[in-house]
Amino acid sequence: MNQPIASLRRLRSVELRTTACADSADFYTNVWGLRAVEQGDGQAWLRGTGQEHHVLQLTEADRNGLGRITFAVATPAEVDEAARRLEARNIPILAGPGPTGEISAGYGVSFVDHEGRVIQLLADALAVPALRQEEPVPVGVTHVVLNTVDIDASVAFYSDVLGMRVSDWSEHQMAFLRCNSDHHSIAFNQAEWASVNHVAYEMPTVDQFMRGIGRLRHNKILPLWGPGRHGPGDNTFSYFADPAGLVCEYTSGVAQVDEDRWLCRVWRRVPELSDTWGTAGPPSADVRSHMAGVPDAGAFDRHPELMGVAR
């Protein structure tokens, strides 16, 4: 039986391809609470208060989509071993293994999953000092929810190849996967097409979570859904749309998993479990439409020769 290609430590950053790069960079820095590391030429790199060099990369594109998801691994040697295991599994490698030459430096390998998403494993990336911040701003990215046309195949790929563990199911509609003690860093939602559903940003406390929502309200930006608290993961939620229509979430208090004691559960999809506070109500057609996004074949659009190999 094949071993996972690596031991993932945490979710580092997300790249979003966006039809409104400049406006979105302004939104995420001046309203959402991230700080610009560097901007220009249709791209922006933004950080939170944590030690990651950046947690969000925005790249100008002709349609919205997912650019890349980056996970941390411990050492360059693990990156090299991951590349060997990817080759043994006949999983397409787009870049590396080796020095990335990118703005955050580091040693990495990038590959394509079964639905065309680009995943990067990265070690030795640049760190930045953590920020002491009284204002309600995100620490960093805590999870990404992805729409998939085959939830079982997606769970199998991320479990078998990346070694992620299923924390919970929401019936057979959503699956929540972890790579550390956080309840989930990736979740899959069964859908008509593959796309990014939303990206979630961790607020350090419930107080800062609510104050962040207040700041957006002062900027005349109302939640698509929320505030509330989810059953699976036990995290608070409030969802918004950025200028390109991509969904971003403030969250806090995600459940912590004790590997020796945790039991995966299947949650019923009922309003009182999708929002245990009862403050948000069920998601509207508008929020569902935003979360559906547009069909996104990812790397398969840019490298169609990979489709038969990756699948």
Side-chain angles (χ1 to χ4, degrees), residues 119-287:
I119 306 297
Q120 182 185 54
L121 307 183
L122 187 63
D124 289 0
L126 294 175
V128 292
L131 300 175
R132 293 180 61 86
Q133 185 69 48
E134 297 301 323
E135 294 301 312
V137 296
V139 176
V141 173
T142 183
H143 68 257
V144 184
V145 175
L146 303 167
N147 296 318
T148 176
V149 298
D150 188 338
I151 195 168
D152 294 315
S154 294
V155 169
F157 186 97
Y158 281 72
S159 299
D160 297 343
V161 176
L162 289 169
M164 303 187 80
R165 285 87 67 199
V166 177
S167 297
D168 282 315
W169 289 84
S170 179
E171 295 189 5
H172 197 234
Q173 179 64 39
M174 292 190 72
F176 301 86
L177 287 80
R178 67 186 184 275
C179 64
N180 53 28
S181 62
D182 288 346
H183 179 270
H184 58 285
S185 56
I186 295 287
F188 286 102
N189 175 62
Q190 179 68 43
E192 294 184 39
W193 53 71
S195 60
V196 60
N197 183 290
H198 70 269
V199 178
Y201 299 80
E202 178 191 0
M203 301 297 266
T205 65
V206 174
D207 179 70
Q208 293 220 6
F209 164 80
M210 292 302 295
R211 289 172 58 206
I213 296 169
R215 181 180 60 238
L216 268 76
R217 285 183 175 273
H218 290 319
N219 282 274
K220 301 187 181 341
I221 299 172
L222 300 179
L224 294 172
W225 187 32
R229 184 183 286 276
H230 288 312
D234 197 34
N235 52 302
T236 64
F237 68 86
S238 195
Y239 299 92
F240 298 84
D242 73 11
L246 291 161
V247 179
C248 46
E249 176 192 6
Y250 280 151
T251 190
S252 65
V254 67
Q256 296 299 294
V257 170
D258 180 339
E259 292 286 349
D260 293 331
R261 302 181 63 184
W262 187 267
L263 294 176
C264 176
R265 290 175 288 180
V266 179
W267 293 73
R268 293 177 59 223
R269 294 183 64 78
V270 292
E272 60 267 29
L273 294 181
S274 102
D275 173 24
T276 60
W277 282 350
T279 53
S284 66
D286 184 44
V287 70

Side-chain angles (χ1 to χ4, degrees), residues 16-19 59-66 294-297 301:
L16 294 176
R17 295 170 62 81
T18 171
T19 58
T59 299
E60 186 71 38
D62 58 4
R63 63 190 300 173
N64 289 339
L66 179 68
V294 295
D296 180 16
D301 271 343

